[in-house]
């Protein structure tokens, strides 16, 4: 079976997933349900062991698929139907085990933070030319689209769903390359053109926990399905990750001193932003030079005005912060960064006597999560879109190239906000993707089916999508 | 890795190595889009292709993996050629540099690649005879010394393009009847690399 980009969407189609759940509800599937349940419970109670964990899951999936094949429930079924039953099983099992196996050891968490920080620095100064991307393939719109696809990776728990985000990202890049090829006399594009664009897009997208996501796919995507075209593009993102880890002056055709200077400059800039955004990732990496201390102090001072508003509305905080982060892609180095201007703007605003009038046009600014009703979602979304458009036009007018929109960096905030914002997420979750809605609904229903109300063990270990607030939260910030 | 399924059909991962601009993607595109429309299976992509060839004794399905040829991405290549059943190392006959790069690839594969890998050396852009910098004899001698299949190709005129893929398909190890189809296919013919190349024998 081909697993090219073209037909990768099939197994995530709601129908397939429904079909799997339906079959599991049949009385004759009782033994399967029992086995799945028992595997999840046993696995969840074991201490993490990277090698063995992956093998155990792979083996279980393979055994179960063989059992499906031999069972009367699937008698007369086509290969495709059996394949999608396997997909359903994988998605179900891994959704349950997600919290137990994803970024579950300190090394993975550390790697995630290091990679995230490195890309946060690199994205401020790496130019397409540094990676040998030919001018013909410079296309901010396509790059942004590809980044968006990749950033969806943290919205999903199933290995295949995560993989699809990567493949969609690659597909956008492929389309760009092919369109340029069709429109010009260039030689046909290949890996020489593809890989550099992919690396550039990854650096710009900088999805949180990229390292853990890749490890997770590698370990828990059923091996027999990580083949062919999917395997090729997955190898590309793995090699891109390796390249990014090892980026030095030489890899970017830069002078050593120039590279160090740009890294330092980027670090300082990031510190200015990160203290503002209370980003835990970069805060752990502070090197306590006097200069950075000063930056920290000034930022804290200017921050003093803001907590009042922040407490009023957490989502406002997210907006404000991501606006700051959105300003980090500045083409021409200037003395005053966009975030500085924004900070100045907000403190000026706060000193203004007519403060209330400014905020009246933003009805949700002082709203609490509990105040919002389902009817508010549409309004809120419209307001958000208006704000984004306004912000982008303003930034464009100021000559700032906006490669990151407000909102795309919100994922990392979720780490700190998730618990207190869980209610908020539940309200907004209604707005999330349609099939995700089905996904969750079914997740709960099969949850009931499997736990059967008699086994508290399962209930305790059953993650489901609902009790991972971070995933919930990430879903709604990336529509 | 080449793996055999039912009816002697072989799945073979083939990796393309070579300097940027040597014409790796042109070569594979000519092969995939050129003359075998009835077998075309690949989705429209830029760096990955699959193509099936029917031989008298087997059907070979190639999965063709392109790699970035720029020097800065060289160290990533092992991630791509891991598990490959075949490799085509492409150079541009109008560029001695690309031939030197090709030799480096050959050495690297001999050291680190799968020992049963079928390797082919392709001197591409053979239509540009007037700009030639790498003599056919030189490349041929090199190929013989290193047990490679060598042929000069032109993606532009399609000369020898299909031949190189057919020759690789012929040289792929065939499955033994009792073997596990998912397992590694071992060849009982270690002489692969000693066969002479087609151009200068």
């Amino acid at each position: 079976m081909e697993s090219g980009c073209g037909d990768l969407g099939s197994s995530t189609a709601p129908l397939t997933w429904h079909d799997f759940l339906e079959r599991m509800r049949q009385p004759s599937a009782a033994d399967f349900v029992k086995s799945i349940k028992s595997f999840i419970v046993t696995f969840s109670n074991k201490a993490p062991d990277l090698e063995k964990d992956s093998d155990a899951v792979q083996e279980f999936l393979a055994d179960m698929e063989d059992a499906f094949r031999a069972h009367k429930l699937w008698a007369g079924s086509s290969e495709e139907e059996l394949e999608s039953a396997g997909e359903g099983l994988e998605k179900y099992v891994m959704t349950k085990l997600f919290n137990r196996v994803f970024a579950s050891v300190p090394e993975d968490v550390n790697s995630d933070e290091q990679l995230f920080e490195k890309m946060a620095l690199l994205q401020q100064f790496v130019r397409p030319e540094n990676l040998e991307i030919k001018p013909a393939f410079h296309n901010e719109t396509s790059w942004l689209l590809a980044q968006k696809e990749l950033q969806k990776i943290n919205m999903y728990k199933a290995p295949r769903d995560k993989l699809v985000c990567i493949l969609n990202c690659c597909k956008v890049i492929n389309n760009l390359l092919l369109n340029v090829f069709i429109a010009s006399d260039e030689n046909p594009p290949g890996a020489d053109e593809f890989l550099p664009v992919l690396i550039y897009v990854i650096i710009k997208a900088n999805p949180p926990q990229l390292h853990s996501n890749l490890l997770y796919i590698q370990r828990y995507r059923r091996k027999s399905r990580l083949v062919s075209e999917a395997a090729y593009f997955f190898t590309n993102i793995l090699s891109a990750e390796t390249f990014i880890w090892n980026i030095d002056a030489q890899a970017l055709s830069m002078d050593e001193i120039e590279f160090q200077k740009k890294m330092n400059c980027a670090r300082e800039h990031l510190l200015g932003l990160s203290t503002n955004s209370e980003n835990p990732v970069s805060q752990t990496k502070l090197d306590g030079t006097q200069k950075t201390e000063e930056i920290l102090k000034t930022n804290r001072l200017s921050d003093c005005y803001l907590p009042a508003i922040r407490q009023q509305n957490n989502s406002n905080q997210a907006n404000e912060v991501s606006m700051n982060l959105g300003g980090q892609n500045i083409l021409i180095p200037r003395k005053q960064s966009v975030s500085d201007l924004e900070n100045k703007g907000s403190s000026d605003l706060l000193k203004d006597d007519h403060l209330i009038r400014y905020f009246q046009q933003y009805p949700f600014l002082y709203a609490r999560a509990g105040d919002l009703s389902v009817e508010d979602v549409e309004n809120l979304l419209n307001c958000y879109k208006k704000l984004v458009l306004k912000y982008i036009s303003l930034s464009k007018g100021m000559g700032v190239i906006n490669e990151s929109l407000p909102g795309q960096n919100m994922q990392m905030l979720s780490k700190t906000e998730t618990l207190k914002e869980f209610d908020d997420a539940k309200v907004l979750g209604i707005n999330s993707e349609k099939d995700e809605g089905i996904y969750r609904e079914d997740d709960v229903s099969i949850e009931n089916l499997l736990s059967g109300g008699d086994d508290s063990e399962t209930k305790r270990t059953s993650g489901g999508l609902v009790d991972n607030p971070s995933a919930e939260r990430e879903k709604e910030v990336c529509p | 890795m080449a793996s055999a399924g039912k009816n002697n059909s072989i799945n073979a991962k083939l990796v393309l190595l070579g300097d940027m601009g040597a014409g790796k993607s042109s070569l594979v595109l000519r092969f995939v889009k050129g003359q075998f429309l009835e077998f075309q299976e690949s989705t429209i992509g830029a760096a990955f292709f699959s193509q099936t060839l029917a031989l008298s004794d087997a059907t070979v399905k190639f999965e063709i993996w392109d790699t970035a040829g720029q020097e800065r991405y060289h160290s990533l290549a092992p991630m791509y050629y891991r598990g490959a059943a075949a490799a085509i190392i492409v150079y541009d006959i109008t560029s001695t540099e690309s031939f030197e790069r090709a030799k480096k690839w050959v050495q690297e594969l001999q050291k680190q690649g799968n020992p049963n890998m079928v390797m082919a050396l392709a001197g591409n852009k053979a239509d540009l005879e007037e700009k030639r910098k790498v003599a056919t004899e030189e490349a041929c001698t090199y190929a013989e010394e290193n047990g490679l299949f060598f042929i000069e190709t032109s993606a532009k005129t399609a000369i020898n393009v299909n031949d190189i893929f057919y020759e690789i398909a012929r040289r792929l190890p065939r499955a033994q009847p009792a073997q596990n189809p998912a397992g590694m296919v071992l060849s009982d013919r270690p002489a692969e690399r000693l066969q002479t190349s087609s151009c200068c024998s």
Side-chain angles (χ1 to χ4, degrees):
Chain A
M1 207 187 112
E2 284 277 310
S3 53
C5 283
D7 52 351
L8 277 159
S10 63
S11 310
T12 38
L15 188 71
T16 309
W17 179 233
H18 267 295
D19 183 59
F20 171 73
L21 297 175
E22 270 310 310
R23 289 195 209 243
M24 285 297 117
R25 284 192 189 98
Q26 304 294 317
S28 57
D31 282 347
F32 289 143
V33 172
K34 216 171 126 190
S35 308
I36 297 170
K37 183 172 137 183
S38 133
F39 176 76
I40 290 169
V41 171
T42 318
F43 189 96
S44 302
N45 289 332
K46 277 189 302 188
D49 179 330
L50 300 180
E51 282 285 305
K52 281 186 193 160
D53 283 356
S54 162
D55 290 349
V57 170
Q58 294 282 348
E59 200 185 318
F60 176 74
L61 294 177
D63 290 351
M64 285 298 284
E65 278 182 48
D66 288 344
F68 286 174
R69 198 172 283 272
H71 196 271
K72 63 178 179 188
L73 261 177
W74 278 274
S77 292
S78 65
E79 275 302 308
E80 282 75 25
E81 282 171 293
L82 280 160
E83 190 69 22
S84 66
E87 291 284 6
L89 176 71
E90 179 186 305
K91 182 167 179 158
Y92 182 78
V93 170
M94 290 321 298
T95 302
K96 293 294 176 202
L97 297 180
F98 183 82
N99 289 342
R100 157 72 170 68
V101 297
F102 187 85
S104 58
V105 292
E107 299 87 78
D108 291 355
V109 177
N110 283 341
S111 298
D112 280 335
E113 288 179 359
Q114 281 168 24
L115 185 63
F116 184 86
E117 200 210 353
K118 180 148 194 191
M119 292 199 284
L121 298 177
L122 290 171
Q123 69 177 202
Q124 296 182 55
F125 66 88
V126 168
R127 308 283 316 136
E129 305 81 66
N130 296 129
L131 299 165
E132 274 177 89
I133 300 176
K134 288 182 200 152
F137 301 107
H138 290 203
N139 185 324
E140 298 282 345
T141 316
S142 291
W143 291 346
L144 192 63
L145 263 176
Q147 288 168 39
K148 293 276 160 212
E149 292 300 331
L150 187 59
Q151 279 161 343
K152 290 178 188 166
I153 200 165
N154 288 311
M155 289 162 66
Y156 300 97
K157 287 188 174 181
R160 176 185 218 280
D161 295 343
K162 286 179 177 292
L163 182 63
V164 167
C165 298
I166 294 170
L167 297 171
N168 284 339
C169 168
C170 293
K171 206 173 174 182
V172 173
I173 298 172
N174 258 329
N175 287 342
L176 164 68
L177 301 183
L178 290 165
N179 286 336
V180 171
F181 168 54
I182 290 162
S184 70
D185 290 334
E186 297 274 334
N187 284 325
D192 292 347
E193 288 75 29
F194 178 82
L195 184 66
V197 177
L198 179 66
I199 292 171
Y200 187 77
V201 163
I202 295 169
I203 292 174
K204 286 291 179 182
N206 196 7
Q209 297 185 292
L210 180 64
H211 180 71
S212 286
N213 273 296
L214 298 184
L215 282 180
Y216 176 76
I217 295 168
Q218 206 168 23
R219 288 170 184 158
Y220 298 106
R221 173 72 177 145
R222 175 87 201 276
K223 295 262 185 287
S224 64
R225 285 191 285 264
L226 191 53
V227 291
S228 190
E229 191 162 14
Y232 176 73
F233 287 111
F234 187 64
T235 301
N236 269 281
I237 198 166
L238 285 181
S239 75
E241 190 211 4
T242 306
F243 182 81
I244 295 167
W245 273 118
N246 298 325
I247 280 184
D248 53 12
Q250 202 193 349
L252 298 176
S253 309
M254 267 185 189
D255 177 68
E256 183 66 45
I257 296 161
E258 189 194 357
F259 177 74
Q260 285 309 333
K261 215 173 105 190
K262 293 210 164 173
M263 284 296 269
N264 288 337
C265 187
R267 197 169 283 125
E268 280 179 17
H269 188 224
L270 194 71
L271 282 172
L273 294 168
S274 63
T275 43
N276 234 353
S277 66
E278 291 162 17
N279 173 11
V281 176
S282 340
Q283 274 197 342
T284 56
K285 298 283 164 195
L286 299 184
D287 39 18
T289 61
Q290 217 172 358
K291 207 164 188 184
T292 53
E293 296 258 294
E294 275 165 29
I295 294 168
L296 286 173
K297 270 183 207 158
T298 36
N299 272 298
R300 281 201 189 112
L301 278 176
S302 67
D303 262 8
C304 288
Y305 298 100
L306 296 170
I309 293 177
R310 283 197 179 151
Q311 277 164 10
Q312 292 284 344
N313 189 333
N314 285 319
S315 58
N316 170 44
Q317 178 189 359
N319 266 335
E320 183 220 318
V321 170
S322 58
M323 280 163 75
N324 283 343
L325 289 170
Q328 73 195 27
N329 303 302
I330 302 167
L331 270 179
I332 314 143
R334 288 183 298 188
K335 279 198 171 163
Q336 208 170 23
S337 72
V338 178
S339 61
D340 292 334
L341 286 171
E342 278 167 356
N343 286 342
K344 190 174 169 288
S346 12
S347 40
D348 283 349
L349 263 182
L350 288 162
K351 280 182 225 147
D352 198 321
D353 288 335
H354 306 291
L355 180 67
I356 306 290
R357 217 187 301 153
Y358 286 107
F359 289 110
Q360 261 169 356
Q361 39 179 324
Y362 304 105
F364 296 103
L365 188 62
Y366 293 105
R368 294 177 68 88
D371 299 334
L372 296 175
S373 67
V374 180
E375 288 79 40
D376 289 328
V377 172
E378 203 187 351
N379 200 359
L380 188 63
L381 190 66
N382 285 335
C383 283
Y384 169 77
K385 285 177 183 168
K386 242 185 261 172
L387 272 175
V388 172
L389 287 174
K390 209 185 271 180
Y391 174 69
I392 299 288
S393 341
L394 283 172
S395 329
K396 277 246 163 18
M398 286 174 64
V400 177
I401 303 293
N402 261 285
E403 282 167 273
S404 50
L405 292 166
Q408 77 178 45
N409 285 308
M410 285 157 88
Q411 290 191 4
M412 60 187 181
L413 287 165
S414 64
K415 281 187 203 158
T416 51
E417 288 173 8
T418 44
L419 290 172
K420 56 183 177 190
E421 289 211 344
F422 189 32
D423 280 347
D424 187 27
K426 265 200 281 190
V427 175
L428 291 169
I430 296 157
N431 199 27
S432 67
E433 260 177 89
K434 210 175 181 184
D435 62 340
E436 280 303 300
I438 294 163
Y439 181 2
R440 251 177 304 146
E441 174 193 301
D442 281 328
D443 204 65
V444 176
S445 55
I446 195 166
E447 178 51 43
N448 297 336
L449 183 81
L450 285 187
S451 61
D454 63 318
D455 197 338
S456 55
E457 216 30 22
T458 329
K459 276 187 184 150
R460 188 150 52 80
T461 54
S462 65
L465 277 159
V466 185
D467 66 12
N468 185 316
S470 79
E472 281 293 295
R473 169 108 188 120
E474 280 151 16
K475 239 177 259 165
E476 36 108 351
V477 296
C478 299
Chain B
M1 190 64 58
S3 58
K6 280 168 253 166
N7 306 326
N8 228 351
S9 73
I10 300 167
N11 276 324
K13 173 175 162 181
L14 184 154
V15 67
L16 289 170
L17 300 164
D19 205 1
M20 184 167 103
K24 298 187 292 292
S25 48
S26 305
L27 194 72
V28 69
L29 206 70
R30 171 61 79 177
F31 168 59
V32 172
K33 308 279 174 208
Q35 293 174 20
F36 302 92
L37 286 170
E38 69 267 39
F39 290 121
Q40 194 174 314
E41 294 170 33
S42 170
T43 50
I44 299 290
F48 175 89
F49 297 92
S50 70
Q51 178 70 283
T52 304
L53 289 184
L55 302 183
S56 56
D57 65 332
T59 309
V60 176
K61 184 183 169 189
F62 281 120
E63 284 178 0
I64 304 165
W65 291 38
D66 194 6
T67 61
Q70 295 94 325
E71 185 67 50
R72 76 184 72 225
Y73 303 120
H74 185 113
S75 64
L76 306 172
M79 301 174 87
Y80 294 83
Y81 62 68
R82 181 182 303 145
I88 302 180
I89 299 116
V90 186
Y91 70 93
D92 170 359
I93 65 154
T94 71
S95 154
T96 42
E97 277 172 16
S98 74
F99 185 56
E100 291 309 312
R101 280 296 300 280
K103 287 182 185 172
K104 274 193 196 167
W105 285 120
V106 172
Q107 280 169 10
E108 187 176 326
L109 288 178
Q110 285 171 340
K111 250 192 244 164
Q112 295 176 39
N114 152 32
N116 292 314
M117 189 188 278
V118 179
M119 283 197 265
L121 182 67
N124 198 29
K125 307 197 185 176
D127 53 293
L128 300 175
E129 188 57 52
E130 72 280 8
K131 290 187 186 167
R132 178 190 285 280
K133 296 270 167 53
V134 183
T136 310
E137 296 70 33
E138 186 189 352
C140 195
T141 312
Y142 177 79
E144 273 187 355
E145 285 167 4
N146 288 277
L148 311 167
F149 168 64
F150 169 68
I151 200 163
E152 286 191 347
T153 55
S154 166
K156 196 174 175 187
T157 64
I159 284 171
N160 290 340
V161 172
N162 293 329
D163 308 64
I164 198 167
F165 286 93
Y166 266 102
E167 185 56 33
I168 291 171
R170 259 178 238 119
R171 291 178 180 219
L172 285 173
R174 297 295 187 262
Q176 305 299 302
Q179 258 174 344
N180 174 7
M184 184 175 153
V185 179
L186 296 171
S187 171
D188 57 353
R189 293 174 296 156
E192 300 278 19
R193 289 190 175 166
L194 302 173
Q195 291 178 19
T196 53
S197 56
S198 64
C199 68
C200 49
S201 48

